[in-house]
Amino acid sequence: MTTSRIKTNTLGLTREDYKGRPSTLCPGCGHDSISNQITSMAFELGLDQSKVIKMSGIGCSSKTPAYFLGRSHGFNTVHGRMPSVVTGATLANHDLTTVAVSGDGDTGSIGLGQYKHLIRRNVPMVYIIENNGVYGLTKGQFSATADEGQELKYYGRNELPAIDLALEAIIGGCTFVARSFSGDAKQVQALMKAAISHRGTAVIDIISPCVTFNNDDKSNKSYGYGKEHEIPLHEIFYFAPDYVEGKDEITLQNDYEGLIEVDMHNGAKVKLKKLDRDHDPRNRQQAIEVLESSHRDNIFLTGLIYYEEPRMTLNDTLRLTDTPLAQLPESKLRPSAEALKTLMEKFS
Amino acid sequence: MSAVNLADQTNLQPFNGEPIINDFAFTVATKNGSGSQTSNNVLVMSLFKMGIPVNGKNLFPSNIKGLPTWYTIRASKDGYTARKAITEIAVVMNQDTAAEDIKNLPVGGICIIPREWKWGQSRTDIIYYEIPVDEIVKNSEIDKAFKDRVGNMVYVGAVAQLFDIPLETIYDALLDNFNGKEKPAKMNFTIVQNAYKWTAENHTRRHPYRFAPMNATAGKIVITGNEASALGALFGGVTVVAWYPITPSTSLVDSIMDHKHIRKDPDHGGDTVAIVQAEDEIAAIGMIIGAGWAGARSMTATSGPGISLMAEFTGLAYYAEIPCVIWDVTRMGPSTGLPTRTSQGDILFTHFLGHGDSRQLVLLPGSVEECFEFGWRAFDISEHYQTPVFVLSDLDIGMNNWMAQPFAYPDQPMNRGKVLNAEELESFIQEKGNWGRYLDVDGDGIPYRTLPGTDHARSAWFARGTGHNEMAVYSERGDDWVRNMQRLHRKFEYARTTLPQPETDLKPGAKVGILSFGSNHDAIREARDWLRERDGIETDYMRVRALPLAQSVFDFVRNHDQVYVIENNFDGQLNQLLGIEYTDSRAHVKSMPLGDSLPMTPEWVYASIIGHRAGK
Ligand SMILES: Cc1ncc(C[n+]2csc(CCOP(=O)(O)OP(=O)(O)O)c2C)c(N)n1
Ligand code: SF4
Ligand SMILES: [Mg+2]
C-alpha cells in the first residue's frame, strides 16, 4: 500500500475529504477553479467542516457549494438573497464559519440591497463573488458588472457603466475587501485564508471567466485578458496562528522594505510584500483610488485592496448570551409559570 | 337598540324613567394624533376597574396627525364585546366629522360636544350636552406648557359625571396609564375633576344611561392581541426575530422588545432573543429561514404587503422543509389597501403561498387567549412538521384592547421535532443503516434533520430549492420529484389531524350551521343569541382554527340543512377553500363575506342571515 504518501492535515484528513460532488459546470469554467481553491484552503487550514456552512444564491456560481466541502451543511437559497439567510443562520449559531459564493448577477443586481445591508451589519463570513460579467445560468445576458463598451455576440454592446462590487463594499463599510482572478490560484488561496480569519464580512470579488458566454480575449472578464493584464498589488503571504518559522514552507524576509503586516483576529498574520505600486490597504482613500483607477485606466489590479480592524459584528451589537441561540436548553427558552403569573398581573 | 322611546327626554327635564345600566356604547370622534388615545384608554380601564365587561376599538386612519379617528367603547353587562353598528352616545370632538357623527346617532342618542363651537342643535330627537372644553382647560391650574395636550381629558370628566364613573376610579386608571407616575396622572386628573364639576353644576341629567359597579372583570386582564402574540412567542422560546415595520403588526414586535427581559440568560446576563430590523420583508423572511435551518425558533411579523414579498422564500422553506413562524396581522386590501383597517383577506394567499404546488400550514386565532397560545404552539408545530407556519391574526384582534382570562401556561413541553444530534445520528445510522435528510422513516412524511454544527462526519446535507432526492442530492428525475411531493402531501394530510381543531358550539336540533374563523367570533356569538331570542332560530357554530381544514369541518357542512360561511373579506375565501376541498354538493352553503374594512358587527350578521331566510 502506498497510502502513507497521501498528505494529511492537522485533523488527519486528506484533501479528498474536503471535496464535494462532481461539478456539473461547463468544462473550463472559472468557477470550478475557485471551488478547487476553497477545497485546498479548507484542507490546508485544517478546517472542521462540521463547523462550516457553505451558502449561495442562484446561478452557475451559486451551484458550486455542492462541489466543495462535502461534510459541511450547505444552503443553496434564492436568487440574490443569500446574505439574509447567512445573517439568520449566524444569529442562530455564532460558532459557525461561513463560506459563501455568489455571482455578479446574484450580488450586483437582484441582491445588491442585501449585499449592502449584510456589509452594514458586518456579519462575519467569507463572501466570494465569482464575477464573469454575465448571467451564466440564464445564458449570457450582461450583468451589472460588465464594463461600458463591452460586447457580447447575442446581446450586443453594453452602454451602461459597471457597478464595482468591491467599491460598493468599501463604501458600504466592509472591513475586508479583495479582488482576484480565478486564474491566479496562489493569490486566491492566500486571500481566502486571510478572509476566513477575519472577524467580519470579508468580500473577495474574483474575476472568474465564463468560457461559454464571455471569454473573448477582448472582454476584460476573459482568461486571455486576465492572464495578460493582471497586476497584483502585492505578493501575499498568509501565516496560520500556529505557524512556526522554518517548519512551514513559507518563508519571507521580514526586513523587506515596505512590508505590510496585518494581524488577524484569530492570531493569523497576513504579510504583504510590495510590488510595483505603493498601496497600503489600510488606507481607505488609497483603496478607493485603486478601484477608480482600475476603471479609469482600464487596468486589472488585484490583491487585498482594503483592510480595517473589524468593528462590532451584528451579534456583538445584539448583546446576546454566549451560548449559541440554537443550543439553548428549554429551561432558558421558556420562562416559568411564576413569570407568566407576574406578567398577567401587570395586565389586570 | 333600546326599546325606550327617548324622544321626549330631549327637553331640559331630568330623566326619571327606568335607567339603562351597563349596556350601551360610545363613539369618541377625535383627530388622529390629538392624544385622545390616553383618554379612551382611561375610560376603558375605568369601566374594567368597575367590574363592567368592556371593549374598546380604535378605528383610525392611515395618518399620523390630523385625519378623523373614532374610538368605540362598549359596555355590556352580558359580556358581549363585538363592535356595535350604532352607538347611543357620541363624544364629538372633531368638527370635520361632527355633522356625520351627529347624524349617526339613534333617536334618543346623546351628543357631547364643545360649547365654543356654537354648533347649534340641528336634531331635536337627541340630547345635547355642550361642554366648554377650552374654558375648562384655560381655568385649570396646570403648567401652561401642557395645556394643549390635555384637552381630551375634558370629555373624560364629562362622561364620568354624566354616566356615573367614580372619580377615584378614573384616577386609578390614570395612574396605571402613566405607569404609576403621579405627576402626569395628577395633571390630567385636574382637568377631569374640573370638567366633572362643571358638568355637575351646569347640566341636568336627561338620559337613562348609567354605569354601575359589577363583579364581572375580577381576575381578568386587558391586553391587545399583538401583546398576547408577543408574550406567546417569548414563552414559546423564540430566539430569532427579523422584521420590517408595517401596520398593524408593528406593535407585535415592539411588544417582544418590551418584554424580552423575561428571557435574559440568568447565568450570563445576555439576551436569548435576537431581534433584527431587516431592510425589507424579503430579508426578514430570509433571516428567519436561515435561523430556522440552523436550529433557532425564528419568527417574523408582517401584514399583506410583506407576505407578498415573502412568497418566493416561503416556497423555498416549504420545499427545503425549514421551520419558521410568520405572523400576518391582516389589514385590508390588495396592494397597500386600507392599511389601518381590519380584514381576513389573506387566508387563501398564505395557505397557497409559494409558486408551484405548495400548501402552507395556517393557524387562525380568534381571541387574545389564542394569540398567546398559538404564539408558543406555532413553534412546536413548525419544528414538528419542519415547515413554515403562518399565524393569521388581524388588526381588530391585534391592535385593540380585549378583556381576557389570564393566559394559561403552556401545557406541554416544547416539541423540537425530529432533530438528530451527533450521538443520535450515530445510533440512527447503526440501527437503520443509513440516514438521508428526506427519507420518510416513520411513514408520517416527516423526515429527520440535522443542524449545521453537528459534529459528525455524515451529518451534512445540502438544503436547496431545486429538485432533490431523499439524500438531499440534486435531482431532476421525475420519479424523485413525485415521490418528494407525495411525501409532502402525507405530511400535510397528517397536519390536518393534529393542528388545532375547530371549536364548535352545538345546540340540540339546530338545522342551521354557521362556519367562520378569527375575530368574527363576538359578532357571531351575539347574533346567534338574537336569532334565538327574537326569531326562535337555533344555530350551530363552528370556528375554524387552522388550515388545512379538519375533517370535522366537512362533517359540519354535511350535517346541516343550511350553512352560512361568514368571514371578513370581500371574496368569501374560506368558502372558496371549502369549494376546493369539499366534494359533495354545496347547494346548501351560503357564502356571507363582508370585507368592509371594519370589525364585524352582530347587526350585520343578524341582518344577513334574516335577509337570506326571508328571500328564500
Ligand atoms: C427570482 C429569480 N429571478 C430570475 C432567476 C433566473 N436566474 C437564475 S441564475 C440568474 C443569473 C445568475 O447570474 P450570476 O449571479 O452572475 O451567476 P453566474 O451564472 O454568472 O455564475 C438568473 C437571472 C431566478 N432564479 N430567480
Ligand atoms: S455558462 Fe458560463 S458560468 Fe455557467 S458553467 Fe458555463 S462557463 Fe461557467
Ligand atoms: Mg455571472
Side-chain angles (χ1 to χ4, degrees):
Chain A
M1 293 262 270
T2 52
T3 47
S4 58
R5 289 186 58 85
I6 296 177
K7 201 178 150 198
T8 56
N9 66 8
T10 46
L11 298 180
L13 298 172
T14 65
R15 188 177 180 282
E16 202 61 26
D17 296 322
Y18 284 84
K19 282 190 170 172
R21 304 185 69 80
S23 168
T24 60
L25 302 185
C26 305
C29 174
H31 302 349
D32 276 339
S33 58
I34 297 173
S35 297
N36 276 330
Q37 300 317 323
I38 295 174
T39 306
S40 297
M41 173 272 291
F43 164 66
E44 284 174 21
L45 291 180
L47 288 190
D48 175 357
Q49 290 180 71
S50 75
K51 296 287 178 287
V52 175
I53 52 173
K54 39 181 197 171
M55 312 295 281
S56 63
I58 295 289
C60 295
S61 34
S62 291
K63 282 183 171 188
T64 63
Y67 315 144
F68 56 79
L69 308 188
R71 296 186 187 180
S72 294
H73 277 72
F75 204 151
N76 183 196
T77 66
V78 292
H79 195 22
R81 323 292 182 188
M82 168 271 285
S84 60
V85 180
V86 172
T87 304
T90 53
L91 282 173
N93 187 345
H94 59 66
D95 281 351
L96 299 171
T97 298
T98 307
V99 177
V101 176
S102 177
D104 43 323
D106 200 61
T107 293
S109 291
I110 192 167
L112 193 56
Q114 292 214 345
Y115 178 62
K116 300 282 288 198
H117 285 277
L118 174 94
I119 288 168
R120 175 170 178 253
R121 295 190 181 100
N122 197 30
V123 174
M125 69 184 293
V126 181
Y127 192 124
I128 296 164
I129 303 162
E130 301 185 346
N131 186 351
N132 53 17
V134 286
Y135 288 9
L137 196 58
T138 49
K139 302 209 162 205
Q141 298 81 11
F142 280 115
S143 84
T145 66
D147 272 291
E148 205 171 331
Q150 139 122 58
E151 311 232 352
L152 288 176
K153 256 194 230 115
Y154 181 74
Y155 287 97
R157 188 184 156 86
N158 170 42
E159 306 285 3
L160 302 175
I163 290 178
D164 185 324
L165 294 170
L167 191 56
E168 293 295 335
I170 296 174
I171 291 166
C174 190
T175 51
F176 184 112
V177 182
R179 169 160 294 148
S180 194
F181 172 50
S182 73
D184 185 350
K186 203 170 145 224
Q187 191 194 54
V188 168
Q189 274 273 341
L191 287 171
M192 281 183 182
K193 287 177 179 167
I196 213 160
S197 315
H198 184 66
R199 200 177 136 77
T201 311
V203 167
I204 314 179
D205 178 19
I206 306 177
I207 304 306
S208 173
C210 169
V211 293
T212 305
F213 296 110
N214 193 14
N215 199 30
D216 191 292
D217 282 352
K218 286 204 292 288
S219 161
N220 64 6
K221 303 285 191 301
S222 69
Y223 272 121
Y225 179 91
K227 288 211 173 102
E228 188 76 11
H229 293 92
E230 186 197 357
I231 307 170
L233 291 162
H234 311 96
E235 197 175 343
I236 305 174
F237 299 88
Y238 172 86
F239 298 89
D242 54 0
Y243 170 77
V244 182
E245 181 102 41
K247 181 179 142 281
D248 293 60
E249 284 161 31
I250 319 162
T251 46
L252 174 72
Q253 300 308 95
N254 270 347
D255 53 1
Y256 194 90
E257 188 222 340
L259 185 88
I260 294 171
E261 206 178 297
V262 180
D263 290 321
M264 306 305 291
H265 173 79
N266 66 349
K269 272 189 200 319
V270 173
K271 298 189 184 181
L272 305 174
K273 189 175 142 189
K274 179 175 169 271
L275 297 173
D276 297 344
R277 293 168 175 259
D278 270 324
H279 174 58
D280 186 344
R282 294 164 300 188
N283 183 320
R284 200 161 186 254
Q285 291 312 320
Q286 279 188 30
I288 291 171
E289 175 53 23
V290 160
L291 294 170
E292 302 221 299
S293 66
S294 296
H295 291 278
R296 198 174 51 231
D297 308 337
N298 210 0
I299 50 176
F300 182 26
L301 297 170
T302 63
L304 182 58
I305 291 170
Y306 185 60
Y307 175 83
E308 183 185 317
E309 270 294 304
R311 56 200 158 81
M312 280 207 275
T313 64
L314 175 63
N315 271 292
D316 295 338
T317 66
L318 295 170
R319 296 182 171 77
L320 301 174
T321 184
D322 49 2
T323 313
L325 299 179
Q327 288 161 14
L328 289 168
E330 177 161 352
S331 60
K332 289 192 176 174
L333 295 179
R334 175 166 288 168
S336 65
E338 202 48 45
L340 180 61
K341 210 169 146 243
T342 314
L343 255 179
M344 290 294 92
E345 276 155 19
K346 288 201 187 132
F347 286 94
S348 65
Chain B
M1 257 317 297
S2 132
V4 191
N5 178 8
L6 299 159
D8 58 344
Q9 292 297 330
T10 54
N11 56 32
L12 293 180
Q13 296 308 306
F15 179 83
N16 48 24
E18 191 67 22
I20 298 172
I21 297 171
N22 299 343
D23 194 15
F24 51 94
F26 285 79
T27 298
V28 181
T30 54
K31 279 189 180 166
N32 206 31
S34 66
S36 54
Q37 189 68 23
T38 309
S39 302
N40 299 332
N41 274 343
V42 164
L43 283 174
V44 169
M45 288 315 293
S46 298
L47 297 177
F48 178 76
K49 284 173 189 294
M50 289 174 74
I52 306 166
V54 62
N55 181 275
K57 288 190 197 296
N58 195 6
L59 313 174
F60 62 106
S62 180
N63 157 269
I64 300 300
K65 224 177 164 118
L67 287 185
T69 178
W70 290 271
Y71 194 86
T72 65
I73 299 170
R74 178 174 184 196
S76 164
K77 62 180 172 12
D78 302 315
Y80 294 120
T81 49
R83 183 176 74 90
K84 292 293 295 278
I86 289 168
T87 68
E88 292 84 352
I89 298 153
V91 178
V92 180
M93 294 287 142
N94 179 3
Q95 292 215 44
D96 299 342
T97 62
E100 195 186 336
D101 294 331
I102 292 168
K103 198 173 125 230
N104 287 341
L105 280 169
V107 171
I110 294 163
C111 171
I112 297 167
I113 190 165
R115 191 172 65 179
E116 49 273 22
W117 290 1
K118 302 193 169 55
W119 191 265
Q121 305 200 348
S122 53
R123 280 182 68 173
T124 54
D125 58 349
I126 61 171
I127 302 164
Y128 288 86
Y129 293 108
E130 289 183 319
I131 312 286
V133 176
D134 294 347
E135 191 186 312
I136 291 171
V137 174
K138 204 171 109 212
N139 296 340
S140 295
E141 281 176 17
I142 59 162
D143 193 333
K144 248 207 184 120
F146 295 103
K147 287 204 168 170
D148 55 342
R149 286 196 234 160
V150 292
N152 282 315
M153 281 296 145
V154 170
Y155 70 74
V156 175
V159 164
Q161 199 283 327
L162 289 169
F163 305 99
D164 287 351
I165 303 175
L167 278 175
E168 314 84 75
T169 312
I170 300 266
Y171 183 69
D172 282 353
L174 272 168
L175 259 186
D176 284 358
N177 187 77
F178 293 107
N179 295 320
K181 287 193 207 101
E182 280 194 5
K183 205 174 155 211
K186 277 195 172 136
M187 185 179 70
N188 283 281
F189 190 58
T190 304
I191 305 283
V192 174
Q193 276 177 309
N194 292 348
Y196 189 99
K197 186 157 169 271
W198 188 94
T199 310
E201 284 166 3
N202 295 280
H203 281 304
T204 324
R205 201 184 279 187
R206 289 167 278 143
H207 59 262
Y209 303 107
R210 303 271 187 284
F211 292 119
M214 287 174 68
N215 197 15
T217 64
K220 297 239 162 96
I221 58 167
V222 174
I223 194 166
T224 66
N226 283 348
E227 288 169 309
S229 309
L231 295 182
L234 286 167
F235 280 81
V238 64
T239 46
V240 174
V241 181
W243 70 300
Y244 189 76
I246 183 169
T247 306
S249 70
T250 301
S251 61
L252 200 165
V253 178
D254 284 349
S255 186
I256 296 179
M257 291 188 222
D258 290 346
H259 296 288
K260 74 172 184 197
H261 58 87
I262 63 170
R263 281 274 307 280
K264 277 226 180 301
D265 182 343
D267 304 324
H268 174 273
D271 278 343
T272 62
V273 193
I275 304 173
V276 177
Q277 186 180 324
E279 58 270 34
D280 58 29
E281 288 87 347
I282 302 179
I285 185 81
M287 286 177 197
I288 70 165
I289 288 171
W293 171 69
R297 294 203 137 185
S298 63
M299 69 173 274
T300 187
T302 186
S303 197
I307 296 287
S308 293
L309 290 188
M310 294 177 182
E312 186 189 18
F313 249 136
T314 46
L316 170 73
Y318 175 82
Y319 185 53
E321 299 177 68
I322 314 289
C324 58
V325 172
I326 301 125
W327 278 81
D328 175 358
V329 186
T330 316
R331 65 193 220 179
M332 178 55 75
S335 196
T336 301
L338 302 171
T340 60
R341 308 293 177 176
T342 198
S343 157
Q344 295 181 322
D346 289 348
I347 68 162
L348 281 180
F349 188 46
T350 49
H351 191 35
F352 296 110
L353 199 66
H355 45 275
D357 298 302
S358 51
R359 281 179 287 178
Q360 310 281 2
L361 305 187
V362 179
L363 301 181
L364 301 166
S367 63
V368 290
E369 287 97 332
E370 274 179 358
C371 284
F372 178 78
E373 185 194 329
F374 293 175
W376 59 265
R377 205 183 278 284
F379 293 111
D380 291 348
I381 295 170
S382 180
E383 288 191 329
H384 179 72
Y385 286 99
Q386 302 176 15
T387 198
V389 168
F390 291 82
V391 193
L392 265 60
S393 164
D394 63 25
L395 184 145
D396 184 21
I397 303 185
M399 289 187 73
N400 286 320
N401 270 306
W402 298 80
M403 217 172 70
Q405 292 296 343
F407 301 146
Y409 193 70
D411 56 3
Q412 284 148 9
M414 286 183 186
N415 175 358
R416 304 300 311 254
K418 299 183 193 176
V419 178
L420 300 172
N421 63 26
E423 297 82 63
E424 290 161 343
L425 177 61
E426 185 54 38
S427 30
F428 191 97
I429 293 170
Q430 298 273 329
E431 210 177 290
K432 310 242 156 57
N434 200 6
W435 167 75
R437 169 66 181 99
Y438 297 112
L439 279 170
D440 186 6
V441 179
D442 304 327
D444 55 6
I446 306 172
Y448 286 79
R449 65 178 180 133
T450 59
L451 304 179
T454 306
D455 188 12
H456 191 290
R458 286 167 73 182
S459 77
W461 60 283
F462 199 79
R464 44 161 50 98
T466 46
H468 47 257
N469 62 19
E470 282 92 340
M471 305 308 288
V473 171
Y474 184 81
S475 168
E476 294 186 12
R477 293 175 57 109
D479 55 344
D480 281 341
W481 177 266
V482 169
R483 247 192 345 272
N484 207 9
M485 294 308 287
Q486 283 169 336
R487 184 178 52 74
L488 288 171
H489 186 72
R490 273 201 298 285
K491 200 162 94 162
F492 182 82
E493 286 304 316
Y494 172 38
R496 204 188 280 286
T497 65
T498 66
L499 294 190
Q501 298 294 295
E503 223 174 58
T504 45
D505 181 30
L506 304 178
K507 301 284 179 205
K511 302 258 187 297
V512 175
I514 294 174
L515 189 66
S516 190
F517 66 98
S519 60
N520 311 328
H521 177 71
D522 293 297
I524 292 172
R525 183 163 67 95
E526 191 166 1
R528 288 175 71 213
D529 290 348
W530 293 353
L531 287 165
R532 181 186 320 108
E533 288 157 13
R534 298 180 192 171
D535 307 278
I537 303 169
E538 202 56 273
T539 57
D540 286 343
Y541 170 43
M542 173 174 271
R543 183 167 62 84
V544 175
R545 300 200 301 157
L547 305 180
L549 293 171
Q551 177 59 39
S552 58
V553 176
F554 309 132
D555 297 340
F556 183 86
V557 172
R558 193 170 291 113
N559 294 337
H560 287 90
D561 294 350
Q562 175 74 60
V563 175
Y564 295 110
V565 185
I566 294 181
E567 50 194 312
N568 208 349
N569 55 58
F570 204 79
D571 285 345
Q573 298 186 18
L574 176 63
N575 184 59
Q576 289 184 39
L577 188 61
L578 205 58
I580 295 170
E581 297 220 297
Y582 181 80
T583 45
D584 290 359
S585 160
R586 288 190 304 128
H588 64 301
V589 177
K590 167 77 182 147
S591 177
M592 272 182 185
L594 173 62
D596 67 351
S597 86
L598 295 170
M600 196 173 274
T601 63
E603 286 91 342
W604 180 82
V605 175
Y606 175 79
S608 302
I609 291 177
I610 290 296
H612 178 257
R613 293 175 71 83
K616 250 183 170 172

